[in-house]
Short mmCIF file of all heavy atoms in Angstrom, two decimals:
data_model
loop_
_atom_site.label_atom_id
_atom_site.label_comp_id
_atom_site.label_asym_id
_atom_site.label_seq_id
_atom_site.Cartn_x
_atom_site.Cartn_y
_atom_site.Cartn_z
N GLY A 127 44.25 24.67 11.95
CA GLY A 127 45.20 23.61 12.24
C GLY A 127 44.41 22.42 12.72
O GLY A 127 43.57 21.89 12.00
N GLU A 128 44.64 22.02 13.96
CA GLU A 128 43.85 20.93 14.56
C GLU A 128 42.85 21.44 15.59
O GLU A 128 42.05 20.69 16.12
CB GLU A 128 44.78 19.91 15.24
CG GLU A 128 45.55 19.07 14.26
CD GLU A 128 46.22 17.90 14.94
OE1 GLU A 128 45.79 17.48 16.02
OE2 GLU A 128 47.21 17.42 14.38
N ARG A 129 42.90 22.75 15.86
CA ARG A 129 42.06 23.34 16.91
C ARG A 129 40.69 23.72 16.36
O ARG A 129 40.57 24.46 15.38
CB ARG A 129 42.76 24.58 17.45
CG ARG A 129 42.06 25.26 18.59
CD ARG A 129 42.93 26.38 19.16
NE ARG A 129 43.29 27.34 18.16
CZ ARG A 129 42.66 28.51 17.97
NH1 ARG A 129 41.65 28.84 18.72
NH2 ARG A 129 43.07 29.35 17.04
N PRO A 130 39.60 23.22 16.99
CA PRO A 130 38.26 23.62 16.57
C PRO A 130 38.00 25.10 16.90
O PRO A 130 38.18 25.51 18.04
CB PRO A 130 37.31 22.73 17.37
CG PRO A 130 38.18 21.82 18.16
CD PRO A 130 39.58 22.25 18.07
N VAL A 131 37.60 25.87 15.87
CA VAL A 131 37.36 27.30 16.08
C VAL A 131 35.93 27.72 15.71
O VAL A 131 35.54 28.85 15.99
CB VAL A 131 38.37 28.18 15.30
CG1 VAL A 131 39.78 28.00 15.86
CG2 VAL A 131 38.31 27.88 13.81
N GLY A 132 35.17 26.83 15.09
CA GLY A 132 33.82 27.21 14.70
C GLY A 132 33.05 26.02 14.16
O GLY A 132 33.57 24.89 14.10
N LEU A 133 31.83 26.29 13.77
CA LEU A 133 30.96 25.27 13.19
C LEU A 133 30.17 25.94 12.07
O LEU A 133 29.61 27.02 12.25
CB LEU A 133 30.00 24.73 14.26
CG LEU A 133 29.16 23.54 13.84
CD1 LEU A 133 30.00 22.28 13.79
CD2 LEU A 133 28.00 23.35 14.77
N LEU A 134 30.16 25.30 10.92
CA LEU A 134 29.39 25.79 9.78
C LEU A 134 28.27 24.81 9.51
O LEU A 134 28.52 23.61 9.36
CB LEU A 134 30.27 25.95 8.54
CG LEU A 134 29.59 26.61 7.35
CD1 LEU A 134 29.33 28.10 7.63
CD2 LEU A 134 30.44 26.46 6.09
N ALA A 135 27.03 25.32 9.45
CA ALA A 135 25.87 24.48 9.20
C ALA A 135 25.26 24.84 7.86
O ALA A 135 25.43 25.97 7.36
CB ALA A 135 24.84 24.68 10.31
N VAL A 136 24.55 23.90 7.28
CA VAL A 136 23.82 24.16 6.04
C VAL A 136 22.90 25.36 6.25
O VAL A 136 22.77 26.20 5.35
CB VAL A 136 23.03 22.92 5.60
CG1 VAL A 136 22.07 23.24 4.48
CG2 VAL A 136 23.97 21.81 5.16
N ASP A 137 22.33 25.49 7.43
CA ASP A 137 21.45 26.62 7.72
C ASP A 137 22.18 27.96 7.57
O ASP A 137 21.59 28.95 7.16
CB ASP A 137 20.88 26.52 9.14
CG ASP A 137 19.91 25.36 9.30
OD1 ASP A 137 19.57 24.72 8.28
OD2 ASP A 137 19.51 25.09 10.43
N ASP A 138 23.48 28.00 7.91
CA ASP A 138 24.26 29.22 7.74
C ASP A 138 24.35 29.60 6.27
O ASP A 138 24.27 30.77 5.90
CB ASP A 138 25.67 29.04 8.30
CG ASP A 138 25.69 28.75 9.79
OD1 ASP A 138 24.85 29.34 10.53
OD2 ASP A 138 26.52 27.94 10.23
N LEU A 139 24.50 28.59 5.41
CA LEU A 139 24.57 28.84 3.97
C LEU A 139 23.21 29.30 3.46
O LEU A 139 23.13 30.20 2.61
CB LEU A 139 25.05 27.59 3.23
CG LEU A 139 26.45 27.10 3.59
CD1 LEU A 139 26.79 25.85 2.80
CD2 LEU A 139 27.49 28.17 3.39
N PHE A 140 22.13 28.67 3.94
CA PHE A 140 20.78 29.10 3.55
C PHE A 140 20.55 30.58 3.89
O PHE A 140 20.05 31.35 3.07
CB PHE A 140 19.70 28.27 4.24
CG PHE A 140 19.53 26.88 3.71
CD1 PHE A 140 19.06 25.88 4.55
CD2 PHE A 140 19.82 26.55 2.40
CE1 PHE A 140 18.89 24.59 4.08
CE2 PHE A 140 19.66 25.26 1.94
CZ PHE A 140 19.19 24.28 2.77
N ARG A 141 20.90 30.95 5.12
CA ARG A 141 20.73 32.35 5.53
C ARG A 141 21.50 33.30 4.64
O ARG A 141 20.99 34.35 4.24
CB ARG A 141 21.15 32.54 6.99
CG ARG A 141 20.06 32.24 7.97
CD ARG A 141 20.41 32.70 9.38
NE ARG A 141 21.54 32.00 9.94
CZ ARG A 141 21.48 30.78 10.49
NH1 ARG A 141 20.33 30.14 10.55
NH2 ARG A 141 22.53 30.22 11.00
N ASP A 142 22.73 32.93 4.30
CA ASP A 142 23.55 33.77 3.44
C ASP A 142 22.92 33.90 2.05
O ASP A 142 22.83 35.01 1.51
CB ASP A 142 24.97 33.19 3.33
CG ASP A 142 25.86 34.08 2.47
OD1 ASP A 142 26.02 35.27 2.80
OD2 ASP A 142 26.40 33.55 1.47
N VAL A 143 22.49 32.79 1.47
CA VAL A 143 21.88 32.83 0.14
C VAL A 143 20.60 33.67 0.18
O VAL A 143 20.39 34.50 -0.73
CB VAL A 143 21.58 31.39 -0.35
CG1 VAL A 143 20.66 31.42 -1.56
CG2 VAL A 143 22.86 30.67 -0.69
#
Side-chain angles (χ1 to χ4, degrees):
E128 287 192 23
R129 183 173 57 98
V131 293
L133 187 75
L134 186 69
V136 169
D137 292 352
D138 298 322
L139 299 179
F140 286 152
R141 273 191 295 280
D142 182 57
V143 167

